[in-house]
PDB file of all heavy atoms in Angstrom:
ATOM      1  N   LEU A  24       7.372   1.132   0.164  1.00 92.00           N
ATOM      2  CA  LEU A  24       8.567   0.397   0.592  1.00 92.00           C
ATOM      3  C   LEU A  24       8.864  -0.826  -0.271  1.00 92.00           C
ATOM      4  O   LEU A  24       9.738  -1.616   0.085  1.00 92.00           O
ATOM      5  CB  LEU A  24       8.402  -0.035   2.054  1.00 92.00           C
ATOM      6  CG  LEU A  24       8.190   1.099   3.044  1.00 92.00           C
ATOM      7  CD1 LEU A  24       7.859   0.543   4.423  1.00 92.00           C
ATOM      8  CD2 LEU A  24       9.404   2.009   3.094  1.00 92.00           C
ATOM      9  N   HIS A  25       8.159  -0.988  -1.372  1.00 90.00           N
ATOM     10  CA  HIS A  25       8.423  -2.134  -2.251  1.00 90.00           C
ATOM     11  C   HIS A  25       9.904  -2.182  -2.631  1.00 90.00           C
ATOM     12  O   HIS A  25      10.488  -1.171  -3.005  1.00 90.00           O
ATOM     13  CB  HIS A  25       7.591  -2.034  -3.534  1.00 90.00           C
ATOM     14  CG  HIS A  25       6.161  -2.391  -3.335  1.00 90.00           C
ATOM     15  ND1 HIS A  25       5.202  -1.438  -3.144  1.00 90.00           N
ATOM     16  CD2 HIS A  25       5.545  -3.594  -3.302  1.00 90.00           C
ATOM     17  CE1 HIS A  25       4.039  -2.039  -3.003  1.00 90.00           C
ATOM     18  NE2 HIS A  25       4.215  -3.348  -3.087  1.00 90.00           N
ATOM     19  N   GLY A  26      10.507  -3.335  -2.482  1.00 88.00           N
ATOM     20  CA  GLY A  26      11.897  -3.524  -2.873  1.00 88.00           C
ATOM     21  C   GLY A  26      12.910  -3.156  -1.798  1.00 88.00           C
ATOM     22  O   GLY A  26      14.112  -3.350  -1.992  1.00 88.00           O
ATOM     23  N   GLU A  27      12.441  -2.607  -0.685  1.00 91.00           N
ATOM     24  CA  GLU A  27      13.371  -2.228   0.391  1.00 91.00           C
ATOM     25  C   GLU A  27      13.670  -3.427   1.288  1.00 91.00           C
ATOM     26  O   GLU A  27      12.882  -4.354   1.387  1.00 91.00           O
ATOM     27  CB  GLU A  27      12.766  -1.108   1.247  1.00 91.00           C
ATOM     28  CG  GLU A  27      12.500   0.176   0.505  1.00 91.00           C
ATOM     29  CD  GLU A  27      13.753   0.867   0.017  1.00 91.00           C
ATOM     30  OE1 GLU A  27      14.843   0.616   0.576  1.00 91.00           O
ATOM     31  OE2 GLU A  27      13.646   1.662  -0.930  1.00 91.00           O
ATOM     32  N   THR A  28      14.809  -3.391   1.945  1.00 90.00           N
ATOM     33  CA  THR A  28      15.123  -4.398   2.952  1.00 90.00           C
ATOM     34  C   THR A  28      14.453  -3.981   4.264  1.00 90.00           C
ATOM     35  O   THR A  28      14.000  -2.845   4.404  1.00 90.00           O
ATOM     36  CB  THR A  28      16.646  -4.500   3.189  1.00 90.00           C
ATOM     37  OG1 THR A  28      17.105  -3.255   3.747  1.00 90.00           O
ATOM     38  CG2 THR A  28      17.388  -4.813   1.907  1.00 90.00           C
ATOM     39  N   ARG A  29      14.417  -4.903   5.219  1.00 89.00           N
ATOM     40  CA  ARG A  29      13.827  -4.559   6.510  1.00 89.00           C
ATOM     41  C   ARG A  29      14.588  -3.424   7.181  1.00 89.00           C
ATOM     42  O   ARG A  29      13.982  -2.529   7.771  1.00 89.00           O
ATOM     43  CB  ARG A  29      13.776  -5.788   7.420  1.00 89.00           C
ATOM     44  CG  ARG A  29      12.713  -6.776   6.975  1.00 89.00           C
ATOM     45  CD  ARG A  29      12.648  -7.945   7.889  1.00 89.00           C
ATOM     46  NE  ARG A  29      13.817  -8.802   7.623  1.00 89.00           N
ATOM     47  CZ  ARG A  29      14.069  -9.926   8.244  1.00 89.00           C
ATOM     48  NH1 ARG A  29      13.265 -10.361   9.188  1.00 89.00           N
ATOM     49  NH2 ARG A  29      15.129 -10.638   7.935  1.00 89.00           N
ATOM     50  N   ASP A  30      15.905  -3.446   7.085  1.00 92.00           N
ATOM     51  CA  ASP A  30      16.714  -2.396   7.717  1.00 92.00           C
ATOM     52  C   ASP A  30      16.488  -1.037   7.074  1.00 92.00           C
ATOM     53  O   ASP A  30      16.315  -0.037   7.764  1.00 92.00           O
ATOM     54  CB  ASP A  30      18.197  -2.757   7.678  1.00 92.00           C
ATOM     55  CG  ASP A  30      18.551  -3.921   8.588  1.00 92.00           C
ATOM     56  OD1 ASP A  30      17.813  -4.150   9.580  1.00 92.00           O
ATOM     57  OD2 ASP A  30      19.544  -4.611   8.313  1.00 92.00           O
ATOM     58  N   SER A  31      16.496  -0.996   5.749  1.00 94.00           N
ATOM     59  CA  SER A  31      16.290   0.296   5.082  1.00 94.00           C
ATOM     60  C   SER A  31      14.864   0.784   5.287  1.00 94.00           C
ATOM     61  O   SER A  31      14.633   1.983   5.458  1.00 94.00           O
ATOM     62  CB  SER A  31      16.634   0.217   3.594  1.00 94.00           C
ATOM     63  OG  SER A  31      15.760  -0.645   2.905  1.00 94.00           O
ATOM     64  N   ALA A  32      13.885  -0.127   5.303  1.00 92.00           N
ATOM     65  CA  ALA A  32      12.493   0.257   5.529  1.00 92.00           C
ATOM     66  C   ALA A  32      12.320   0.862   6.913  1.00 92.00           C
ATOM     67  O   ALA A  32      11.600   1.851   7.080  1.00 92.00           O
ATOM     68  CB  ALA A  32      11.576  -0.952   5.356  1.00 92.00           C
ATOM     69  N   ARG A  33      12.991   0.295   7.903  1.00 91.00           N
ATOM     70  CA  ARG A  33      12.904   0.811   9.269  1.00 91.00           C
ATOM     71  C   ARG A  33      13.366   2.273   9.311  1.00 91.00           C
ATOM     72  O   ARG A  33      12.700   3.125   9.893  1.00 91.00           O
ATOM     73  CB  ARG A  33      13.758  -0.039  10.208  1.00 91.00           C
ATOM     74  CG  ARG A  33      13.637   0.341  11.665  1.00 91.00           C
ATOM     75  CD  ARG A  33      14.506  -0.521  12.590  1.00 91.00           C
ATOM     76  NE  ARG A  33      14.451  -1.942  12.298  1.00 91.00           N
ATOM     77  CZ  ARG A  33      15.467  -2.671  11.821  1.00 91.00           C
ATOM     78  NH1 ARG A  33      16.629  -2.098  11.584  1.00 91.00           N
ATOM     79  NH2 ARG A  33      15.332  -3.959  11.593  1.00 91.00           N
ATOM     80  N   VAL A  34      14.481   2.560   8.675  1.00 93.00           N
ATOM     81  CA  VAL A  34      15.016   3.922   8.657  1.00 93.00           C
ATOM     82  C   VAL A  34      14.092   4.850   7.868  1.00 93.00           C
ATOM     83  O   VAL A  34      13.774   5.958   8.322  1.00 93.00           O
ATOM     84  CB  VAL A  34      16.441   3.940   8.052  1.00 93.00           C
ATOM     85  CG1 VAL A  34      16.929   5.356   7.833  1.00 93.00           C
ATOM     86  CG2 VAL A  34      17.399   3.164   8.937  1.00 93.00           C
ATOM     87  N   LEU A  35      13.643   4.405   6.705  1.00 94.00           N
ATOM     88  CA  LEU A  35      12.771   5.229   5.873  1.00 94.00           C
ATOM     89  C   LEU A  35      11.459   5.555   6.572  1.00 94.00           C
ATOM     90  O   LEU A  35      10.972   6.691   6.504  1.00 94.00           O
ATOM     91  CB  LEU A  35      12.491   4.532   4.541  1.00 94.00           C
ATOM     92  CG  LEU A  35      13.681   4.427   3.593  1.00 94.00           C
ATOM     93  CD1 LEU A  35      13.350   3.502   2.424  1.00 94.00           C
ATOM     94  CD2 LEU A  35      14.089   5.802   3.094  1.00 94.00           C
ATOM     95  N   VAL A  36      10.878   4.583   7.254  1.00 91.00           N
ATOM     96  CA  VAL A  36       9.615   4.814   7.954  1.00 91.00           C
ATOM     97  C   VAL A  36       9.809   5.802   9.097  1.00 91.00           C
ATOM     98  O   VAL A  36       8.990   6.703   9.299  1.00 91.00           O
ATOM     99  CB  VAL A  36       9.004   3.487   8.453  1.00 91.00           C
ATOM    100  CG1 VAL A  36       7.868   3.732   9.431  1.00 91.00           C
ATOM    101  CG2 VAL A  36       8.514   2.657   7.278  1.00 91.00           C
ATOM    102  N   MET A  37      10.881   5.649   9.845  1.00 90.00           N
ATOM    103  CA  MET A  37      11.145   6.579  10.951  1.00 90.00           C
ATOM    104  C   MET A  37      11.315   8.010  10.436  1.00 90.00           C
ATOM    105  O   MET A  37      10.758   8.952  11.003  1.00 90.00           O
ATOM    106  CB  MET A  37      12.391   6.149  11.730  1.00 90.00           C
ATOM    107  CG  MET A  37      12.198   4.890  12.541  1.00 90.00           C
ATOM    108  SD  MET A  37      10.862   4.996  13.736  1.00 90.00           S
ATOM    109  CE  MET A  37      11.486   6.280  14.796  1.00 90.00           C
ATOM    110  N   GLU A  38      12.068   8.176   9.355  1.00 91.00           N
ATOM    111  CA  GLU A  38      12.252   9.507   8.766  1.00 91.00           C
ATOM    112  C   GLU A  38      10.923  10.057   8.259  1.00 91.00           C
ATOM    113  O   GLU A  38      10.613  11.235   8.449  1.00 91.00           O
ATOM    114  CB  GLU A  38      13.266   9.448   7.630  1.00 91.00           C
ATOM    115  CG  GLU A  38      14.680   9.209   8.093  1.00 91.00           C
ATOM    116  CD  GLU A  38      15.662   9.013   6.947  1.00 91.00           C
ATOM    117  OE1 GLU A  38      15.221   8.947   5.772  1.00 91.00           O
ATOM    118  OE2 GLU A  38      16.858   8.914   7.222  1.00 91.00           O
ATOM    119  N   PHE A  39      10.142   9.199   7.625  1.00 90.00           N
ATOM    120  CA  PHE A  39       8.843   9.598   7.086  1.00 90.00           C
ATOM    121  C   PHE A  39       7.904  10.045   8.206  1.00 90.00           C
ATOM    122  O   PHE A  39       7.237  11.070   8.101  1.00 90.00           O
ATOM    123  CB  PHE A  39       8.253   8.416   6.309  1.00 90.00           C
ATOM    124  CG  PHE A  39       6.906   8.670   5.704  1.00 90.00           C
ATOM    125  CD1 PHE A  39       6.755   9.582   4.679  1.00 90.00           C
ATOM    126  CD2 PHE A  39       5.803   7.968   6.148  1.00 90.00           C
ATOM    127  CE1 PHE A  39       5.511   9.808   4.115  1.00 90.00           C
ATOM    128  CE2 PHE A  39       4.560   8.179   5.592  1.00 90.00           C
ATOM    129  CZ  PHE A  39       4.411   9.100   4.573  1.00 90.00           C
ATOM    130  N   ILE A  40       7.862   9.296   9.284  1.00 87.00           N
ATOM    131  CA  ILE A  40       7.013   9.659  10.420  1.00 87.00           C
ATOM    132  C   ILE A  40       7.487  10.972  11.037  1.00 87.00           C
ATOM    133  O   ILE A  40       6.683  11.863  11.319  1.00 87.00           O
ATOM    134  CB  ILE A  40       6.997   8.539  11.471  1.00 87.00           C
ATOM    135  CG1 ILE A  40       6.213   7.344  10.921  1.00 87.00           C
ATOM    136  CG2 ILE A  40       6.400   9.021  12.792  1.00 87.00           C
ATOM    137  CD1 ILE A  40       6.317   6.093  11.753  1.00 87.00           C
ATOM    138  N   ASN A  41       8.787  11.110  11.227  1.00 85.00           N
ATOM    139  CA  ASN A  41       9.323  12.351  11.794  1.00 85.00           C
ATOM    140  C   ASN A  41       9.009  13.556  10.916  1.00 85.00           C
ATOM    141  O   ASN A  41       8.664  14.616  11.419  1.00 85.00           O
ATOM    142  CB  ASN A  41      10.830  12.241  12.022  1.00 85.00           C
ATOM    143  CG  ASN A  41      11.168  11.318  13.169  1.00 85.00           C
ATOM    144  OD1 ASN A  41      10.364  11.099  14.067  1.00 85.00           O
ATOM    145  ND2 ASN A  41      12.357  10.751  13.126  1.00 85.00           N
ATOM    146  N   ASP A  42       9.115  13.391   9.609  1.00 86.00           N
ATOM    147  CA  ASP A  42       8.828  14.489   8.681  1.00 86.00           C
ATOM    148  C   ASP A  42       7.363  14.892   8.712  1.00 86.00           C
ATOM    149  O   ASP A  42       7.031  16.062   8.531  1.00 86.00           O
ATOM    150  CB  ASP A  42       9.201  14.106   7.244  1.00 86.00           C
ATOM    151  CG  ASP A  42      10.693  14.001   7.029  1.00 86.00           C
ATOM    152  OD1 ASP A  42      11.457  14.461   7.898  1.00 86.00           O
ATOM    153  OD2 ASP A  42      11.099  13.442   5.988  1.00 86.00           O
ATOM    154  N   ASN A  43       6.475  13.943   8.929  1.00 83.00           N
ATOM    155  CA  ASN A  43       5.046  14.216   8.867  1.00 83.00           C
ATOM    156  C   ASN A  43       4.395  14.425  10.224  1.00 83.00           C
ATOM    157  O   ASN A  43       3.271  14.901  10.298  1.00 83.00           O
ATOM    158  CB  ASN A  43       4.321  13.102   8.113  1.00 83.00           C
ATOM    159  CG  ASN A  43       4.602  13.178   6.635  1.00 83.00           C
ATOM    160  OD1 ASN A  43       4.063  14.028   5.947  1.00 83.00           O
ATOM    161  ND2 ASN A  43       5.484  12.320   6.151  1.00 83.00           N
ATOM    162  N   LYS A  44       5.085  14.113  11.297  1.00 78.00           N
ATOM    163  CA  LYS A  44       4.515  14.265  12.638  1.00 78.00           C
ATOM    164  C   LYS A  44       4.216  15.727  12.945  1.00 78.00           C
ATOM    165  O   LYS A  44       3.201  16.040  13.552  1.00 78.00           O
ATOM    166  CB  LYS A  44       5.461  13.667  13.690  1.00 78.00           C
ATOM    167  CG  LYS A  44       4.925  13.754  15.089  1.00 78.00           C
ATOM    168  CD  LYS A  44       3.623  12.981  15.235  1.00 78.00           C
ATOM    169  CE  LYS A  44       3.117  13.078  16.671  1.00 78.00           C
ATOM    170  NZ  LYS A  44       1.768  12.594  16.803  1.00 78.00           N
ATOM    171  N   LEU A  45       5.065  16.620  12.516  1.00 71.00           N
ATOM    172  CA  LEU A  45       4.847  18.041  12.781  1.00 71.00           C
ATOM    173  C   LEU A  45       3.570  18.541  12.126  1.00 71.00           C
ATOM    174  O   LEU A  45       2.933  19.461  12.626  1.00 71.00           O
ATOM    175  CB  LEU A  45       6.047  18.867  12.298  1.00 71.00           C
ATOM    176  CG  LEU A  45       7.366  18.599  13.014  1.00 71.00           C
ATOM    177  CD1 LEU A  45       8.479  19.410  12.378  1.00 71.00           C
ATOM    178  CD2 LEU A  45       7.240  18.916  14.494  1.00 71.00           C
ATOM    179  N   LYS A  46       3.193  17.927  11.026  1.00 71.00           N
ATOM    180  CA  LYS A  46       1.977  18.319  10.310  1.00 71.00           C
ATOM    181  C   LYS A  46       0.742  17.690  10.943  1.00 71.00           C
ATOM    182  O   LYS A  46      -0.376  18.051  10.614  1.00 71.00           O
ATOM    183  CB  LYS A  46       2.076  17.894   8.845  1.00 71.00           C
ATOM    184  CG  LYS A  46       3.244  18.511   8.121  1.00 71.00           C
ATOM    185  CD  LYS A  46       3.384  17.902   6.748  1.00 71.00           C
ATOM    186  CE  LYS A  46       4.706  18.289   6.132  1.00 71.00           C
ATOM    187  NZ  LYS A  46       4.966  17.530   4.906  1.00 71.00           N
ATOM    188  N   ASN A  47       0.948  16.725  11.844  1.00 67.00           N
ATOM    189  CA  ASN A  47      -0.133  16.021  12.538  1.00 67.00           C
ATOM    190  C   ASN A  47      -1.137  15.418  11.547  1.00 67.00           C
ATOM    191  O   ASN A  47      -2.348  15.535  11.721  1.00 67.00           O
ATOM    192  CB  ASN A  47      -0.832  16.945  13.540  1.00 67.00           C
ATOM    193  CG  ASN A  47      -1.549  16.159  14.608  1.00 67.00           C
ATOM    194  OD1 ASN A  47      -1.218  15.011  14.878  1.00 67.00           O
ATOM    195  ND2 ASN A  47      -2.541  16.770  15.211  1.00 67.00           N
ATOM    196  N   GLU A  48      -0.611  14.825  10.495  1.00 72.00           N
ATOM    197  CA  GLU A  48      -1.450  14.250   9.448  1.00 72.00           C
ATOM    198  C   GLU A  48      -1.439  12.734   9.501  1.00 72.00           C
ATOM    199  O   GLU A  48      -0.507  12.118  10.018  1.00 72.00           O
ATOM    200  CB  GLU A  48      -0.930  14.670   8.068  1.00 72.00           C
ATOM    201  CG  GLU A  48      -1.058  16.119   7.766  1.00 72.00           C
ATOM    202  CD  GLU A  48      -0.630  16.429   6.342  1.00 72.00           C
ATOM    203  OE1 GLU A  48      -0.413  15.499   5.551  1.00 72.00           O
ATOM    204  OE2 GLU A  48      -0.526  17.620   6.027  1.00 72.00           O
ATOM    205  N   LYS A  49      -2.470  12.157   8.922  1.00 79.00           N
ATOM    206  CA  LYS A  49      -2.461  10.723   8.685  1.00 79.00           C
ATOM    207  C   LYS A  49      -1.501  10.472   7.538  1.00 79.00           C
ATOM    208  O   LYS A  49      -1.317  11.316   6.669  1.00 79.00           O
ATOM    209  CB  LYS A  49      -3.849  10.233   8.286  1.00 79.00           C
ATOM    210  CG  LYS A  49      -4.858  10.343   9.386  1.00 79.00           C
ATOM    211  CD  LYS A  49      -6.196   9.843   8.911  1.00 79.00           C
ATOM    212  CE  LYS A  49      -7.216   9.969  10.020  1.00 79.00           C
ATOM    213  NZ  LYS A  49      -8.539   9.531   9.574  1.00 79.00           N
ATOM    214  N   VAL A  50      -0.889   9.301   7.538  1.00 83.00           N
ATOM    215  CA  VAL A  50       0.029   8.925   6.466  1.00 83.00           C
ATOM    216  C   VAL A  50      -0.304   7.517   5.989  1.00 83.00           C
ATOM    217  O   VAL A  50      -0.985   6.762   6.682  1.00 83.00           O
ATOM    218  CB  VAL A  50       1.505   8.993   6.914  1.00 83.00           C
ATOM    219  CG1 VAL A  50       1.899  10.412   7.280  1.00 83.00           C
ATOM    220  CG2 VAL A  50       1.777   8.043   8.053  1.00 83.00           C
ATOM    221  N   LEU A  51       0.187   7.185   4.829  1.00 85.00           N
ATOM    222  CA  LEU A  51      -0.018   5.867   4.244  1.00 85.00           C
ATOM    223  C   LEU A  51       1.343   5.221   4.030  1.00 85.00           C
ATOM    224  O   LEU A  51       2.222   5.800   3.380  1.00 85.00           O
ATOM    225  CB  LEU A  51      -0.757   5.993   2.913  1.00 85.00           C
ATOM    226  CG  LEU A  51      -1.005   4.728   2.120  1.00 85.00           C
ATOM    227  CD1 LEU A  51      -1.913   3.773   2.894  1.00 85.00           C
ATOM    228  CD2 LEU A  51      -1.629   5.067   0.779  1.00 85.00           C
ATOM    229  N   ILE A  52       1.515   4.020   4.585  1.00 86.00           N
ATOM    230  CA  ILE A  52       2.755   3.269   4.412  1.00 86.00           C
ATOM    231  C   ILE A  52       2.426   2.022   3.612  1.00 86.00           C
ATOM    232  O   ILE A  52       1.635   1.188   4.051  1.00 86.00           O
ATOM    233  CB  ILE A  52       3.380   2.894   5.770  1.00 86.00           C
ATOM    234  CG1 ILE A  52       3.708   4.166   6.556  1.00 86.00           C
ATOM    235  CG2 ILE A  52       4.622   2.035   5.565  1.00 86.00           C
ATOM    236  CD1 ILE A  52       4.161   3.925   7.967  1.00 86.00           C
ATOM    237  N   ILE A  53       3.021   1.916   2.434  1.00 86.00           N
ATOM    238  CA  ILE A  53       2.772   0.785   1.536  1.00 86.00           C
ATOM    239  C   ILE A  53       3.941  -0.170   1.655  1.00 86.00           C
ATOM    240  O   ILE A  53       5.077   0.194   1.358  1.00 86.00           O
ATOM    241  CB  ILE A  53       2.613   1.273   0.085  1.00 86.00           C
ATOM    242  CG1 ILE A  53       1.486   2.307   0.008  1.00 86.00           C
ATOM    243  CG2 ILE A  53       2.361   0.098  -0.853  1.00 86.00           C
ATOM    244  CD1 ILE A  53       1.485   3.121  -1.260  1.00 86.00           C
ATOM    245  N   HIS A  54       3.664  -1.385   2.103  1.00 84.00           N
ATOM    246  CA  HIS A  54       4.748  -2.338   2.319  1.00 84.00           C
ATOM    247  C   HIS A  54       4.664  -3.558   1.415  1.00 84.00           C
ATOM    248  O   HIS A  54       5.584  -4.348   1.368  1.00 84.00           O
ATOM    249  CB  HIS A  54       4.810  -2.773   3.785  1.00 84.00           C
ATOM    250  CG  HIS A  54       3.504  -3.238   4.343  1.00 84.00           C
ATOM    251  ND1 HIS A  54       2.826  -4.325   3.874  1.00 84.00           N
ATOM    252  CD2 HIS A  54       2.755  -2.718   5.329  1.00 84.00           C
ATOM    253  CE1 HIS A  54       1.717  -4.468   4.567  1.00 84.00           C
ATOM    254  NE2 HIS A  54       1.641  -3.490   5.453  1.00 84.00           N
ATOM    255  N   GLY A  55       3.581  -3.739   0.692  1.00 76.00           N
ATOM    256  CA  GLY A  55       3.441  -4.894  -0.191  1.00 76.00           C
ATOM    257  C   GLY A  55       3.071  -6.151   0.570  1.00 76.00           C
ATOM    258  O   GLY A  55       2.796  -6.129   1.759  1.00 76.00           O
ATOM    259  N   ILE A  56       3.062  -7.261  -0.134  1.00 77.00           N
ATOM    260  CA  ILE A  56       2.648  -8.525   0.467  1.00 77.00           C
ATOM    261  C   ILE A  56       3.848  -9.447   0.588  1.00 77.00           C
ATOM    262  O   ILE A  56       4.381  -9.650   1.654  1.00 77.00           O
ATOM    263  CB  ILE A  56       1.520  -9.181  -0.352  1.00 77.00           C
ATOM    264  CG1 ILE A  56       0.308  -8.245  -0.404  1.00 77.00           C
ATOM    265  CG2 ILE A  56       1.131 -10.510   0.250  1.00 77.00           C
ATOM    266  CD1 ILE A  56      -0.776  -8.688  -1.318  1.00 77.00           C
TER     267      ILE A  56
END
């Protein structure tokens, strides 16, 4: 998520979780410092 705004990150994370939830996998979310 480097370079994303809070609003765009919120949408991207939700889509990412939804895409990977069906696979029941662990995921890695990189947000920076």
Side-chain angles (χ1 to χ4, degrees):
L24 301 173
H25 284 98
E27 298 294 338
T28 65
R29 287 182 286 181
D30 290 335
S31 65
R33 185 180 315 113
V34 171
L35 291 170
V36 168
M37 290 302 296
E38 290 174 354
F39 179 67
I40 289 170
N41 289 336
D42 290 347
N43 287 285
K44 182 61 179 168
L45 296 176
K46 300 172 192 170
N47 202 23
E48 293 185 10
K49 293 180 181 178
V50 297
L51 177 63
I52 299 173
I53 303 164
H54 51 62
I56 300 172

